[in-house]
Amino acid sequence: MAGDAPVLGVRGVTKRFGGLEALSEVDFDVHAGEVVGLVGDNGAGKSTLVKILSGVHAPSAGHVEIDGEPRELSSPAVATEAGIATVYQELSLTMQRSVASNFFLGRELVVRHPLGRRLGWLDRREMERQTRQSLSKLLTRVPDVRSACRTLSGGQRQGLAIARAVTWCGRVLILDEPTSALGVEQQREVLDIIRRTRELGIAVLLISHQMQEVVAVCDRVVVLRLGEVVAVLEKQELAVDTLVGYITGSTPARTPAGARRASS
Ligand SMILES: Nc1ncnc2c1ncn2[C@@H]1O[C@H](COP(=O)(O)OP(=O)(O)OP(=O)(O)O)[C@@H](O)[C@H]1O
Ligand SMILES: [Mg+2]
């Protein structure tokens, strides 16, 4: 394993649905402690790529590398085990349950005492303590972990979902439109959470239609058009107009593959 290999490497990933090529030889890297944006118009192939990375779809060609090693992400469980966590827009939180119980959903701690262990008593206090600790790494205002999820703001819910994903799978975090349902203040809160996640050394892939947020938070941006990478922009080149140019096609593709296809 190369020491400086990217945490996530997408290598020539192609996906066909019948006659439609939703992704064509997509290549890019995400390193630890880096936020990479993935942008493109509706139908560009963003969600298809997320599904491949989260083990929902198998690629028709190409492969995914984790720490420089090819990994076959044959199911969501395998992707989770490889350290890839995906937070979808429709968050998988149970609104009636408490913050702590959502945080530990499916991973509940049982009390250490032998009788309690036999009876399956949950160690609520310890779960609450650990939830508070994990949330405080990402959120400036940690909600009461005993309160029901439905009492949280949209930004806090997103923060809880991200904190849970980072804590349990922790190498690569994929965020699919994390702020699209949020108000301005809450969007800002989520951007802060993304920055803190990066500081924890996690590789973050951010899918977004909000160009200003992409420019504000990303270290690099991959632009997809009709399933092809048409540009990879470094931080210093990021500007809303530039991104929009590549997304819409008013700026010609600048990757070799994209340019080849455009001229054929
Ligand atoms: N399961 C599927 N079967 C057939 N075609 C599909 C399937 N999933 C996606 N597609 C097609 O693949 C292409 C890419 O879709 P995808 O959902 O990845 O786009 P997207 O970039 O996520 O768009 P949006 O911004 O609207 O979410 C589209 O043409 C879509 O119709
Ligand atoms: Mg999509």
Side-chain angles (χ1 to χ4, degrees):
M1 184 173 95
D4 55 356
V7 175
L8 176 70
V10 176
R11 304 282 174 255
V13 166
T14 296
K15 179 67 183 175
R16 290 180 210 98
F17 294 110
L20 177 98
E21 197 158 280
L23 293 172
S24 311
E25 296 183 36
V26 170
D27 276 302
F28 66 89
D29 290 338
V30 189
H31 291 84
E34 183 177 57
V35 180
V36 172
L38 181 65
V39 303
D41 234 332
N42 298 120
K46 305 179 297 295
S47 294
T48 303
L49 186 62
V50 171
K51 285 179 187 154
I52 287 172
L53 296 176
S54 48
V56 176
H57 288 325
S60 311
H63 68 274
V64 175
E65 292 178 358
I66 303 291
D67 295 324
E69 304 281 343
R71 279 299 283 267
E72 197 185 327
L73 305 171
S74 49
S75 72
V78 173
T80 303
E81 198 248 320
I84 301 176
T86 308
V87 175
Y88 294 96
Q89 190 185 330
E90 56 290 356
L91 301 170
S92 50
L93 300 174
T94 309
M95 293 302 155
Q96 310 82 282
R97 285 187 177 232
S98 74
V99 170
S101 109
N102 267 285
F103 191 84
F104 275 90
L105 205 63
R107 296 180 173 86
E108 287 80 0
L109 302 179
V110 174
V111 291
R112 291 231 181 88
H113 187 278
L115 177 65
R117 184 171 283 277
R118 193 136 48 94
L119 296 176
W121 286 342
L122 297 184
D123 194 345
R124 288 191 200 287
R125 198 177 297 171
E126 180 57 17
M127 289 195 281
E128 286 165 6
R129 191 189 67 76
Q130 290 187 25
T131 302
R132 230 174 269 123
Q133 194 181 40
S134 292
L135 288 179
S136 65
K137 289 187 193 155
L138 292 173
L139 300 177
T140 22
R141 279 171 295 144
V142 177
D144 176 359
V145 299
R146 293 182 193 172
S147 61
C149 249
R150 66 182 142 71
T151 67
L152 302 187
S153 74
Q156 285 177 317
R157 285 179 198 169
Q158 193 65 242
L160 170 60
I162 292 173
R164 186 173 67 177
V166 166
T167 305
W168 303 123
C169 337
R171 308 284 329 274
V172 180
L173 175 69
I174 303 176
L175 298 168
D176 198 353
E177 298 273 346
T179 62
S180 61
L182 302 180
V184 178
E185 192 52 44
Q186 298 187 351
Q187 283 183 8
R188 204 167 298 159
E189 212 173 310
V190 171
L191 292 192
D192 271 342
I193 295 169
I194 294 173
R195 292 193 183 98
R196 284 186 201 161
T197 306
R198 164 173 58 197
E199 281 158 24
L200 295 174
I202 310 262
V204 182
L205 183 63
L206 170 68
I207 288 92
S208 179
H209 280 288
Q210 317 234 13
M211 292 308 126
Q212 278 172 355
E213 117 183 352
V214 166
V215 171
V217 81
C218 291
D219 299 301
R220 194 143 32 83
V221 176
V222 176
V223 185
L224 279 181
R225 186 159 76 233
L226 299 174
E228 285 191 339
V229 176
V230 291
V232 179
L233 302 168
E234 297 298 328
K235 177 130 193 110
Q236 63 275 14
E237 313 172 86
L238 292 180
V240 173
D241 291 350
T242 312
L243 289 169
V244 170
Y246 285 113
I247 290 171
T248 58
S250 66
T251 308
R254 72 177 196 192
T255 50
R260 230 180 6 254
R261 166 87 51 122
S263 63
S264 64

Short mmCIF file of all heavy atoms in Angstrom, two decimals, residues 161-189:
data_model
loop_
_atom_site.label_atom_id
_atom_site.label_comp_id
_atom_site.label_asym_id
_atom_site.label_seq_id
_atom_site.Cartn_x
_atom_site.Cartn_y
_atom_site.Cartn_z
N ALA A 161 -26.47 13.05 11.39
CA ALA A 161 -26.30 11.99 10.37
C ALA A 161 -24.83 11.91 9.94
O ALA A 161 -24.28 10.83 9.76
CB ALA A 161 -27.20 12.25 9.16
N ILE A 162 -24.19 13.07 9.78
CA ILE A 162 -22.78 13.09 9.37
C ILE A 162 -21.91 12.53 10.49
O ILE A 162 -21.03 11.70 10.25
CB ILE A 162 -22.34 14.51 8.97
CG1 ILE A 162 -23.06 14.93 7.68
CG2 ILE A 162 -20.82 14.58 8.78
CD1 ILE A 162 -22.83 16.38 7.27
N ALA A 163 -22.16 12.99 11.72
CA ALA A 163 -21.34 12.53 12.85
C ALA A 163 -21.46 11.02 13.00
O ALA A 163 -20.47 10.32 13.24
CB ALA A 163 -21.79 13.22 14.14
N ARG A 164 -22.66 10.50 12.83
CA ARG A 164 -22.87 9.05 12.94
C ARG A 164 -22.07 8.34 11.84
O ARG A 164 -21.35 7.38 12.11
CB ARG A 164 -24.37 8.76 12.80
CG ARG A 164 -24.71 7.31 13.02
CD ARG A 164 -26.20 7.09 13.04
NE ARG A 164 -26.81 7.33 11.75
CZ ARG A 164 -28.09 7.14 11.49
NH1 ARG A 164 -28.92 6.76 12.46
NH2 ARG A 164 -28.58 7.37 10.30
N ALA A 165 -22.17 8.83 10.61
CA ALA A 165 -21.46 8.20 9.50
C ALA A 165 -19.95 8.24 9.72
O ALA A 165 -19.24 7.24 9.53
CB ALA A 165 -21.82 8.90 8.19
N VAL A 166 -19.45 9.40 10.14
CA VAL A 166 -18.00 9.56 10.33
C VAL A 166 -17.51 8.66 11.46
O VAL A 166 -16.47 8.03 11.38
CB VAL A 166 -17.68 11.05 10.62
CG1 VAL A 166 -16.27 11.21 11.16
CG2 VAL A 166 -17.87 11.88 9.37
N THR A 167 -18.29 8.59 12.54
CA THR A 167 -17.87 7.79 13.69
C THR A 167 -17.82 6.31 13.37
O THR A 167 -16.88 5.62 13.73
CB THR A 167 -18.83 8.02 14.88
OG1 THR A 167 -18.90 9.41 15.13
CG2 THR A 167 -18.35 7.29 16.13
N TRP A 168 -18.81 5.82 12.65
CA TRP A 168 -18.89 4.37 12.46
C TRP A 168 -18.16 3.87 11.22
O TRP A 168 -17.72 2.73 11.19
CB TRP A 168 -20.35 3.89 12.42
CG TRP A 168 -21.11 4.24 13.65
CD1 TRP A 168 -22.27 4.97 13.70
CD2 TRP A 168 -20.79 3.90 15.01
NE1 TRP A 168 -22.66 5.12 15.00
CE2 TRP A 168 -21.79 4.47 15.82
CE3 TRP A 168 -19.76 3.19 15.61
CZ2 TRP A 168 -21.79 4.34 17.20
CZ3 TRP A 168 -19.75 3.07 17.00
CH2 TRP A 168 -20.77 3.64 17.77
N CYS A 169 -18.03 4.66 10.18
CA CYS A 169 -17.33 4.13 9.01
C CYS A 169 -16.08 4.87 8.65
O CYS A 169 -15.28 4.42 7.85
CB CYS A 169 -18.19 4.06 7.78
SG CYS A 169 -19.90 3.99 8.05
N GLY A 170 -15.97 6.02 9.07
CA GLY A 170 -14.84 6.89 9.04
C GLY A 170 -13.67 6.99 8.08
O GLY A 170 -12.69 7.47 8.53
N ARG A 171 -13.68 6.61 6.83
CA ARG A 171 -12.56 6.95 5.94
C ARG A 171 -13.01 7.92 4.86
O ARG A 171 -12.37 8.90 4.59
CB ARG A 171 -12.00 5.69 5.23
CG ARG A 171 -11.64 4.54 6.07
CD ARG A 171 -10.34 4.68 6.83
NE ARG A 171 -9.26 5.47 6.25
CZ ARG A 171 -8.36 5.02 5.39
NH1 ARG A 171 -8.41 3.78 4.98
NH2 ARG A 171 -7.40 5.80 4.94
N VAL A 172 -14.12 7.54 4.22
CA VAL A 172 -14.65 8.35 3.12
C VAL A 172 -16.09 8.72 3.47
O VAL A 172 -16.89 7.85 3.80
CB VAL A 172 -14.66 7.54 1.80
CG1 VAL A 172 -15.21 8.38 0.66
CG2 VAL A 172 -13.29 7.01 1.47
N LEU A 173 -16.38 10.01 3.40
CA LEU A 173 -17.75 10.44 3.64
C LEU A 173 -18.32 10.99 2.34
O LEU A 173 -17.74 11.90 1.74
CB LEU A 173 -17.78 11.54 4.71
CG LEU A 173 -19.15 12.15 4.97
CD1 LEU A 173 -20.08 11.14 5.64
CD2 LEU A 173 -19.04 13.41 5.83
N ILE A 174 -19.45 10.45 1.90
CA ILE A 174 -20.11 10.95 0.70
C ILE A 174 -21.38 11.66 1.12
O ILE A 174 -22.21 11.09 1.84
CB ILE A 174 -20.45 9.79 -0.26
CG1 ILE A 174 -19.18 9.01 -0.61
CG2 ILE A 174 -21.12 10.32 -1.52
CD1 ILE A 174 -19.43 7.79 -1.48
N LEU A 175 -21.51 12.90 0.68
CA LEU A 175 -22.70 13.68 1.02
C LEU A 175 -23.44 13.99 -0.27
O LEU A 175 -22.90 14.66 -1.16
CB LEU A 175 -22.28 14.99 1.70
CG LEU A 175 -21.51 14.81 3.01
CD1 LEU A 175 -20.89 16.12 3.44
CD2 LEU A 175 -22.44 14.29 4.09
N ASP A 176 -24.66 13.49 -0.38
CA ASP A 176 -25.45 13.73 -1.59
C ASP A 176 -26.44 14.85 -1.29
O ASP A 176 -27.43 14.64 -0.58
CB ASP A 176 -26.17 12.44 -2.01
CG ASP A 176 -26.65 12.49 -3.47
OD1 ASP A 176 -26.54 13.57 -4.09
OD2 ASP A 176 -27.13 11.47 -3.96
N GLU A 177 -26.16 16.04 -1.76
CA GLU A 177 -27.03 17.21 -1.59
C GLU A 177 -27.37 17.48 -0.12
O GLU A 177 -28.54 17.52 0.24
CB GLU A 177 -28.34 16.99 -2.36
CG GLU A 177 -28.15 16.84 -3.85
CD GLU A 177 -28.16 18.17 -4.58
OE1 GLU A 177 -28.56 19.18 -3.98
OE2 GLU A 177 -27.72 18.20 -5.73
N PRO A 178 -26.35 17.68 0.72
CA PRO A 178 -26.63 17.79 2.14
C PRO A 178 -27.38 19.05 2.56
O PRO A 178 -27.95 19.08 3.64
CB PRO A 178 -25.23 17.77 2.78
CG PRO A 178 -24.33 18.29 1.73
CD PRO A 178 -24.90 17.80 0.44
N THR A 179 -27.37 20.08 1.74
CA THR A 179 -27.98 21.34 2.20
C THR A 179 -29.20 21.74 1.40
O THR A 179 -29.77 22.80 1.64
CB THR A 179 -26.96 22.50 2.10
OG1 THR A 179 -26.61 22.65 0.74
CG2 THR A 179 -25.72 22.24 2.92
N SER A 180 -29.63 20.89 0.46
CA SER A 180 -30.67 21.37 -0.47
C SER A 180 -31.99 21.66 0.23
O SER A 180 -32.77 22.46 -0.27
CB SER A 180 -30.85 20.37 -1.60
OG SER A 180 -31.26 19.14 -1.07
N ALA A 181 -32.23 21.04 1.39
CA ALA A 181 -33.52 21.29 2.05
C ALA A 181 -33.38 22.30 3.19
O ALA A 181 -34.31 22.45 3.99
CB ALA A 181 -34.08 19.97 2.58
N LEU A 182 -32.25 23.00 3.26
CA LEU A 182 -31.99 23.83 4.44
C LEU A 182 -32.04 25.32 4.16
O LEU A 182 -31.82 25.76 3.04
CB LEU A 182 -30.60 23.49 5.00
CG LEU A 182 -30.36 22.04 5.40
CD1 LEU A 182 -28.94 21.89 5.93
CD2 LEU A 182 -31.36 21.59 6.45
N GLY A 183 -32.30 26.08 5.23
CA GLY A 183 -32.23 27.54 5.14
C GLY A 183 -30.79 28.01 5.16
O GLY A 183 -29.87 27.21 5.37
N VAL A 184 -30.61 29.32 4.96
CA VAL A 184 -29.26 29.87 4.80
C VAL A 184 -28.38 29.61 6.01
O VAL A 184 -27.25 29.14 5.89
CB VAL A 184 -29.36 31.40 4.57
CG1 VAL A 184 -27.96 32.01 4.46
CG2 VAL A 184 -30.16 31.69 3.32
N GLU A 185 -28.91 29.89 7.19
CA GLU A 185 -28.12 29.72 8.41
C GLU A 185 -27.72 28.26 8.61
O GLU A 185 -26.60 27.93 8.98
CB GLU A 185 -28.95 30.23 9.61
CG GLU A 185 -28.18 30.38 10.88
CD GLU A 185 -26.91 31.22 10.71
OE1 GLU A 185 -26.95 32.28 10.05
OE2 GLU A 185 -25.88 30.78 11.23
N GLN A 186 -28.66 27.37 8.33
CA GLN A 186 -28.40 25.95 8.51
C GLN A 186 -27.43 25.42 7.46
O GLN A 186 -26.64 24.52 7.73
CB GLN A 186 -29.71 25.17 8.46
CG GLN A 186 -30.62 25.61 9.59
CD GLN A 186 -31.86 24.76 9.69
OE1 GLN A 186 -32.12 23.94 8.82
NE2 GLN A 186 -32.61 24.95 10.74
N GLN A 187 -27.50 26.00 6.27
CA GLN A 187 -26.52 25.61 5.24
C GLN A 187 -25.12 25.93 5.72
O GLN A 187 -24.20 25.13 5.57
CB GLN A 187 -26.77 26.39 3.94
CG GLN A 187 -27.94 25.87 3.15
CD GLN A 187 -28.11 26.61 1.83
OE1 GLN A 187 -27.28 27.41 1.45
NE2 GLN A 187 -29.21 26.33 1.16
N ARG A 188 -25.00 27.10 6.33
CA ARG A 188 -23.70 27.52 6.84
C ARG A 188 -23.21 26.55 7.92
O ARG A 188 -22.03 26.20 7.98
CB ARG A 188 -23.82 28.93 7.41
CG ARG A 188 -22.52 29.66 7.41
CD ARG A 188 -22.70 31.15 7.67
NE ARG A 188 -23.49 31.81 6.66
CZ ARG A 188 -24.11 32.99 6.86
NH1 ARG A 188 -24.07 33.56 8.05
NH2 ARG A 188 -24.78 33.56 5.90
N GLU A 189 -24.15 26.12 8.74
CA GLU A 189 -23.81 25.18 9.81
C GLU A 189 -23.26 23.87 9.21
O GLU A 189 -22.26 23.33 9.68
CB GLU A 189 -25.11 24.88 10.57
CG GLU A 189 -24.94 24.60 12.03
CD GLU A 189 -26.33 24.49 12.68
OE1 GLU A 189 -27.17 25.38 12.48
OE2 GLU A 189 -26.56 23.49 13.38
#
